[in-house]
Amino acid sequence: MTLKLPKLNPLHPMLLLTMVLVAITIIYLLTLAVNHSEAEDSIFYILGVSREETANPDLYYPHHVLFMTFNRLVYHFWLFLGYDGNAQLPIQINNVIASIAILFLIYLVARRLELTVFWSLLCLVAVAISYAFWWYGVEAESYHLSLLFILLSAHRLMLLAESRFEVRHFVWLGLFVAMATLFFQQHVLLIFFIPLTIFLLWYLQRNSLGKGLLFSGLTFFWGIAGTIIAAVYFFIAIVILQLDGLGEIIKWSKGMAEGDKFWIPWSWTAPLESIIGFWRTVWGGHFLFGFTWFYELVSHLFPRIVFLEEQMMGQSLSPGIRWLCLVMMIISSVCAVLLVVLAAIGFQRLFPKYNLIKPKIIGFMFFCVLMFLVNAIFITVWKPYTNEYWIALLPFFYLGMVWLIAHSGQIKFATVTSLIFLMTLFIGNLLGGILPQNNKDADYWYVTNQYFIRHAQPNDLIVSNCEQLCGRYLNLYTGATVIWKITGDNFQELIEKQVFNHHTGKIFISSTILEPPLPSFRKGKNYSAAIQTTFEQLKKSLKKVHEDQFQVVWEWQRP
């Protein structure tokens, strides 16, 4: 079953597509990220790519093993052309380019699903203005390059369905899946569920395709994907990082999942956090934290999550903007519910006639379901609230929903509802999620460390216990050496080995060593007592140079 396509001049759809993509490109370039509190790993990537050392282990972070290496090459090309800044802008431009390529692929897939130009463009725009896709597309982050290869894989599956299972399609699939995995390790899951889609495509055409084509194709797919992934990881581990033994290589490749860190402590709120995480992928919702009642509610419901950054962003908006964004979110949410109902109607109309639907469309929809279910389960047991992990599901969610809506039989109502959804979503995300993060006065870690940013120099030492992201902010904006992870057991050793032996610049000590700003860094009475004892010994050599609502700063006076 297909939709009847309108008769259009062949240039007309491409002209519309070009205009839409150019408009999105301009919007993205005008909203390049200034603050990095939301996408906290961006500073890690900026610092890692910008470092001058060629043997920099940070370039080969195992969860995104090719991301920084690729951006390092691009960054050096920029330097060759005369650019003299750090790697932030080059990485952001790479992500904007990747975003536009992804949106173009979404359009191509939508057209292969035999959607009209209108519905194809609508799907493209819906992805582009969804909060997480937009924000991570203008940040120095790592998720869009992998998504580009996932969409190439999905497009290739549709080409495979239209072919006689030629080997070249399996070769391309293996390459695309390998690249998606090397840019984001989570997508190794594709190796396991793409073959299920391939099997379905073969089964739907089994009368004209022999079993040998299926088995040989899967062999090529697994062989190429597995070989490329293994070759890259082993080359980096053995040749570049010079790790010894398979145990060390496996330990490195697991990254954050090493040991008992693979699963977060299970909580009854994890499924709810997953729903919120996916919801925040569409609606940023930062403006909500400007409402005291909302901040207190979510702080009570999710005590293990700290919302200091969101609170400052929300409070930076005027009450009028907050209420406008709230109205936009409510309207777009109502429209979203109505569109889900229309999608259900479309499914109900199509299901009895599934045998009339082309194999390529059935296969793609099956892939969408697997993509969503497999990753949703993984994310729920890994980091459910983190919206960056849900970004890869957005295009497939929208493509599946739009295809069903287009077959609902309620085209006029669906068209009006969809346009209202897009308009309100754009306004709400722009004013309530994107623009607040382009204001340094609303950036919690930038504001709290103003003294250091103004006064610290690259040869200085800063001792602060304000957590990893804060430490990265200090590294990025001051260039100073930062000690940010302090315990009662290691404080005395840090003082003796690093503070007393730092001879090239000033030494700043923050009161966050006594009272860290984040609850997870507060270790109780034993921690406080151990730090306090060492601090009292230092106090006679300290001169208070700054005090504000966030911290007191002392400068150590050398004897």
Side-chain angles (χ1 to χ4, degrees):
M1 174 173 283
T2 62
L3 286 175
K4 185 178 180 181
L5 297 175
K7 295 180 180 179
L8 293 171
N9 185 307
L11 293 177
H12 187 51
M14 291 307 298
L15 179 60
L16 284 174
L17 174 63
T18 301
M19 291 171 61
V20 170
L21 291 179
V22 168
I24 293 170
T25 302
I26 293 171
I27 292 171
Y28 276 26
L29 291 175
L30 290 175
T31 56
L32 291 177
V34 173
N35 303 354
H36 305 291
S37 294
E38 172 85 31
E40 64 273 9
D41 289 337
S42 58
I43 298 182
F44 171 72
Y45 300 134
I46 294 168
L47 293 172
V49 173
S50 301
R51 282 171 60 180
E52 295 180 1
E53 303 98 305
T54 54
N56 175 9
D58 286 345
L59 289 175
Y60 312 104
Y61 182 55
H63 293 315
H64 308 278
V65 73
L66 285 188
F67 177 75
M68 283 202 280
T69 306
F70 169 75
N71 279 286
R72 178 64 173 257
L73 293 174
V74 175
Y75 175 55
H76 275 264
F77 179 69
W78 279 55
L79 294 178
F80 173 76
L81 294 177
Y83 177 73
D84 61 355
N86 64 25
Q88 177 173 323
L89 182 60
I91 299 176
Q92 289 175 322
I93 297 301
N94 283 349
N95 279 343
V96 172
I97 295 171
S99 299
I100 301 306
I102 288 168
L103 296 175
F104 177 71
L105 282 170
I106 290 171
Y107 178 85
L108 290 185
V109 170
R111 295 294 281 157
R112 285 204 168 271
L113 290 172
E114 301 179 357
L115 290 168
T116 63
V117 172
F118 170 79
W119 289 111
S120 300
L121 290 174
L122 184 141
C123 193
L124 176 161
V125 173
V127 174
I129 64 176
S130 290
Y131 168 72
F133 185 89
W134 184 349
W135 185 246
Y136 283 80
V138 297
E139 251 289 16
E141 264 286 3
S142 58
Y143 298 97
H144 281 47
L145 287 170
S146 59
L147 179 53
L148 176 62
F149 288 102
I150 297 174
L151 277 161
L152 284 169
S153 300
H155 186 256
R156 184 58 52 172
L157 283 170
M158 299 187 79
L159 294 176
L160 176 66
E162 296 175 327
S163 74
R164 293 194 54 79
F165 273 42
E166 287 99 336
V167 169
R168 61 190 175 91
H169 294 304
F170 293 96
V171 172
W172 281 113
L173 271 173
L175 174 62
F176 293 150
V177 169
M179 294 303 294
T181 302
L182 293 172
F183 276 106
F184 185 21
Q185 195 179 61
Q186 175 182 316
H187 299 311
V188 71
L189 296 169
L190 291 165
I191 290 179
F192 303 104
F193 65 80
I194 276 185
L196 296 177
T197 306
I198 294 172
F199 176 79
L200 176 63
L201 292 174
W202 171 84
Y203 183 80
L204 292 172
Q205 305 172 80
R206 62 191 180 280
N207 294 331
S208 59
L209 298 173
K211 293 181 181 179
L213 291 174
L214 173 65
F215 294 137
S216 62
L218 288 176
T219 300
F220 271 101
F221 168 71
W222 275 319
I224 291 171
T227 299
I228 293 174
I229 293 169
V232 171
Y233 271 92
F234 276 101
F235 177 81
I236 291 173
I238 296 171
V239 178
I240 299 178
L241 301 180
Q242 298 183 344
L243 300 179
D244 296 323
L246 185 61
E248 278 196 28
I249 294 173
I250 293 175
K251 181 180 179 181
W252 163 74
S253 67
K254 290 168 67 177
M256 288 176 59
E258 191 272 323
D260 62 352
K261 298 178 183 177
F262 188 73
W263 313 110
I264 62 170
W266 179 256
S267 167
W268 68 269
T269 62
L272 178 58
E273 288 178 33
S274 284
I275 294 172
I276 294 173
F278 183 71
W279 181 88
R280 290 191 66 247
T281 308
V282 180
W283 293 273
H286 297 81
F287 67 91
L288 290 170
F289 290 89
F291 297 106
T292 303
W293 59 268
F294 182 83
Y295 174 75
E296 293 176 349
L297 175 64
V298 294
S299 297
H300 176 73
L301 289 175
F302 307 106
R304 67 181 179 182
I305 302 175
V306 180
F307 298 103
L308 294 174
E309 301 151 3
E310 291 86 351
Q311 183 188 34
M312 181 170 283
M313 276 187 272
Q315 291 180 343
S316 70
L317 299 172
S318 67
I321 293 295
R322 291 202 296 267
W323 280 105
L324 174 62
C325 291
L326 181 60
V327 171
M328 294 297 103
M329 188 184 74
I330 292 172
I331 295 174
S332 60
S333 298
V334 171
C335 290
V337 172
L338 293 174
L339 292 170
V340 170
V341 172
L342 290 175
I345 293 172
F347 179 81
Q348 187 178 34
R349 294 183 70 219
L350 288 168
F351 187 74
K353 306 173 185 178
Y354 72 91
N355 57 318
L356 300 177
I357 302 174
K358 293 181 179 179
K360 66 175 181 179
I361 297 177
I362 293 177
F364 180 80
M365 292 302 158
F366 183 68
F367 175 77
C368 288
V369 171
L370 290 177
M371 182 76 183
F372 202 90
L373 287 180
V374 172
N375 283 280
I377 293 170
F378 178 84
I379 295 167
T380 300
V381 297
W382 179 229
K383 286 187 176 180
Y385 179 77
T386 308
N387 59 11
E388 59 210 43
Y389 296 141
W390 296 95
I391 293 172
L393 308 188
L394 269 180
F396 302 98
F397 176 79
Y398 279 122
L399 283 164
M401 293 294 291
V402 168
W403 188 79
L404 291 172
I405 291 167
H407 290 83
S408 65
Q410 306 292 327
I411 298 301
K412 288 184 178 180
F413 179 72
T415 300
V416 173
T417 306
S418 299
L419 291 175
I420 294 173
F421 171 76
L422 292 182
M423 180 183 67
T424 53
L425 181 66
F426 174 74
I427 295 172
N429 278 341
L430 176 66
L431 299 181
I434 300 296
L435 291 183
Q437 296 187 80
N438 280 280
N439 174 15
K440 285 191 179 297
D441 292 335
D443 188 347
Y444 180 82
W445 296 114
Y446 189 88
V447 171
T448 57
N449 289 293
Q450 273 296 295
Y451 179 82
F452 292 127
I453 292 171
R454 290 196 186 105
H455 296 89
Q457 300 297 318
N459 60 345
D460 293 340
L461 174 68
I462 299 172
V463 182
S464 177
N465 202 21
C466 62
E467 77 101 46
Q468 186 180 60
L469 178 56
C470 172
R472 288 175 178 171
Y473 260 73
L474 292 173
N475 282 138
L476 178 65
Y477 288 108
T478 69
T481 301
V482 182
I483 301 174
W484 60 266
K485 190 171 184 179
I486 300 170
T487 67
D489 296 330
N490 75 352
F491 188 52
Q492 180 70 42
E493 182 181 358
L494 287 172
I495 293 298
E496 293 176 355
K497 289 187 176 181
Q498 296 196 48
V499 175
F500 290 163
N501 290 319
H502 186 84
H503 303 296
T504 58
K506 296 179 180 179
I507 299 172
F508 298 105
I509 298 179
S510 167
S511 60
T512 55
I513 64 171
L514 303 172
E515 185 66 18
L518 297 186
S520 59
F521 273 54
R522 298 171 191 162
K523 313 298 182 183
K525 293 182 179 179
N526 293 335
Y527 163 83
S528 300
I531 295 289
Q532 190 68 45
T533 299
T534 304
F535 180 75
E536 289 298 328
Q537 298 171 4
L538 286 174
K539 204 168 184 179
K540 60 184 179 181
S541 300
L542 298 178
K543 175 186 177 183
K544 185 165 76 172
V545 293
H546 177 73
E547 182 175 1
D548 58 29
Q549 60 181 316
F550 303 107
Q551 63 187 327
V552 178
V553 179
W554 294 276
E555 182 180 338
W556 187 57
Q557 307 294 302
R558 291 186 179 87

